[in-house]
């Protein structure tokens, strides 16, 4: 009798071990059902569905990745990113961003193309959240390509910052340099807002932490990106003030000055010495002194090109 009880106990343990994964799988929200519900749910109901999906998602790495792929496929087939139901579209996007698996990367790239800035924000944030997974999967190039492409046309400073954060976490310094250049290009034709200047400063500060260890060709590319973003910001400020001296608040010049300061600091780190003196003056003088460093179309190469000959004049 005792032996029989022992066998029954062992059988129950084995059955429990077998049934637990099945129970966990059964508890997950069906991807097709989730997609259908997101099409119509609004407000807190959409939030609750997202929270339920994330709570019940598989914890096993492989199962979670597979489940995420199925969710993304279902969301895609229902065109949730272009849904007229903004609440459902956003919460569906947040689900993919917050589930944190490398298999979310393709859908995150699609999110970065959305007309909804909030969805684009979560696309970038999602990439930051799975950076380690993408590094381990050797899938960083696809991610950085999507992020830089998005950054080149992004209008929202909040989204721009999150894209830079993702690039930093992905650990690809070449991509970060391209990101800074992408910030600079729109500044060549229009004055950036204060928030974008703050993003540029953040990006430069992140670059500065990596600058000393870069290869020679990377240092030239980094120096060019830094020089271009500072030069463009200063020139646009001067251009605006020439048209209307009262057009910009003092805080705007402080933001421009912060970008210039971070640029000079980064250039000195790249040069391996204090080759460039900090510039702190009014906009016109700042522009004049910065041209002497970065060079310009009107003055030709500056002192920067003497150290890094390959750096193009802004």
């Amino acid at each position: 009798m005792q032996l029989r009880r022992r066998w029954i106990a062992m059988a129950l343990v084995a059955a429990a071990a077998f049934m637990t994964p099945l129970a966990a799988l059964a508890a997950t929200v069906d991807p097709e059902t989730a997609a259908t519900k997101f099409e119509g749910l609004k407000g807190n109901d959409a939030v609750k569905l997202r929270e339920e999906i994330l709570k019940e998602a598989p914890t096993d790495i492989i199962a979670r990745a597979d489940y995420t792929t199925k969710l993304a496929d279902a969301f895609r087939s229902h065109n949730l990113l272009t849904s007229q139901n903004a609440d459902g579209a956003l919460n569906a996007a947040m689900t993919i961003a917050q589930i944190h698996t490398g298999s979310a990367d393709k859908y995150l790239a699609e999110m970065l193309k959305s007309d909804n800035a909030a969805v684009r924000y979560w696309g970038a944030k999602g990439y930051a959240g799975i950076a380690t997974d993408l590094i381990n999967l050797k899938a960083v190039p696809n991610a950085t390509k999507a992020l830089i492409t998005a950054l080149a046309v992004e209008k929202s400073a909040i989204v721009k910052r999150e894209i830079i954060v993702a690039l930093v976490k992905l650990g690809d310094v070449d991509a970060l340099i391209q990101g800074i250049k992408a910030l600079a290009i729109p500044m060549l034709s229009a004055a950036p807002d204060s928030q974008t200047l703050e993003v540029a400063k953040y990006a430069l500060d992140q670059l500065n932490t990596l600058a000393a260890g870069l290869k020679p060709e990377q240092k030239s590319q980094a120096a060019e990106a830094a020089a271009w973003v500072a030069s463009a910001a200063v020139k646009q400020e001067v251009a605006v003030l020439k048209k209307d001296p009262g057009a910009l608040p003092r805080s705007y010049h402080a933001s421009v000055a912060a970008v210039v300061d971070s640029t000079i600091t980064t250039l000195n780190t790249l040069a391996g010495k204090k080759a460039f003196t900090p510039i702190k003056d009014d906009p016109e003088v700042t522009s004049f002194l910065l041209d002497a460093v970065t060079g310009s179309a009107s003055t030709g190469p500056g002192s920067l090109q003497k150290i890094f000959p390959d750096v193009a004049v802004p």
Side-chain angles (χ1 to χ4, degrees):
M1 181 65 72
Q2 185 176 2
L3 181 61
R4 185 181 178 186
R5 288 177 179 173
R6 183 179 299 174
W7 275 108
I8 291 173
M10 291 174 64
L12 289 172
V13 170
F18 176 75
M19 291 173 64
T20 298
L22 294 180
L25 184 60
T28 60
V29 179
D30 176 66
E32 184 65 25
T33 300
T36 301
K37 286 185 175 180
F38 272 135
E39 286 182 307
L41 292 179
K42 296 181 181 295
N44 198 45
D45 290 332
V47 173
K48 286 181 178 179
L49 176 57
R50 167 171 55 85
E51 292 175 343
E52 181 185 0
I53 294 171
L54 294 172
K55 180 181 178 181
E56 303 299 342
T59 55
D60 175 78
I61 295 175
I62 296 176
R64 193 177 183 88
D66 181 61
Y67 180 65
T68 301
T69 298
K70 291 176 180 177
L71 271 178
D73 287 343
F75 292 175
R76 192 178 290 113
S77 69
H78 284 255
N79 298 313
L80 286 179
L81 286 180
T82 56
S83 172
Q84 295 301 307
N85 178 16
D87 289 349
L90 177 58
N91 277 279
M94 291 175 68
T95 300
I96 299 299
Q98 293 177 329
I99 204 164
H100 294 162
T101 67
S103 63
D105 61 340
K106 291 182 180 179
Y107 200 76
L108 294 174
E110 294 171 32
M111 287 164 61
L112 288 172
K113 299 175 183 178
S114 171
D115 291 336
N116 187 329
V119 171
R120 298 196 303 274
Y121 168 85
W122 281 103
K125 197 170 185 66
Y127 269 123
I130 61 170
T132 300
D133 285 350
L134 294 178
I135 291 170
N136 292 335
L137 292 168
K138 300 187 185 305
V140 169
N142 288 337
T144 55
K145 181 180 179 181
L147 288 162
I148 292 169
T149 299
L151 184 59
V153 296
E154 183 56 58
K155 303 299 183 185
S156 166
I158 295 174
V159 180
K160 289 176 185 178
R161 181 181 176 84
E162 204 58 41
I163 290 175
I164 294 295
V165 169
L167 290 174
V168 170
K169 289 193 174 184
L170 285 164
D172 186 339
V173 68
D174 292 319
L176 176 58
I177 293 169
Q178 291 179 55
I180 294 172
K181 199 69 174 287
L183 288 173
I185 298 302
M187 295 184 193
L188 298 176
S189 56
D193 56 33
S194 296
Q195 291 80 11
T196 295
L197 290 171
E198 291 172 7
V199 174
K201 173 178 166 47
Y202 170 76
L204 288 166
D205 290 343
Q206 295 301 310
L207 178 61
N208 184 55
T209 65
L210 306 168
L214 300 184
K215 298 175 182 178
E217 62 272 21
Q218 289 177 313
K219 288 185 176 182
S220 289
Q221 293 165 1
E224 181 170 301
W228 277 51
V229 78
S231 177
V234 170
K235 282 180 169 52
Q236 287 298 338
E237 180 188 23
V238 171
V240 170
L241 292 176
K242 280 185 177 179
K243 290 182 179 179
D244 181 359
L248 299 172
R250 290 184 179 181
S251 59
Y252 188 86
H253 178 62
S255 296
V256 173
V259 170
V260 172
D261 190 53
S262 289
T263 294
I264 295 298
T265 299
T266 301
L267 292 179
N268 281 331
T269 303
L270 290 166
K273 58 183 179 179
K274 291 185 178 181
F276 311 106
T277 304
I279 300 172
K280 298 182 186 296
D281 217 306
D282 64 58
E284 290 247 11
V285 175
T286 295
S287 180
F288 174 77
L289 294 176
L290 187 61
D291 280 352
V293 174
T294 65
S296 71
S298 59
T299 63
S303 55
L304 177 61
Q305 283 75 21
K306 292 180 181 179
I307 298 175
F308 300 106
D310 294 334
V311 171
V313 170

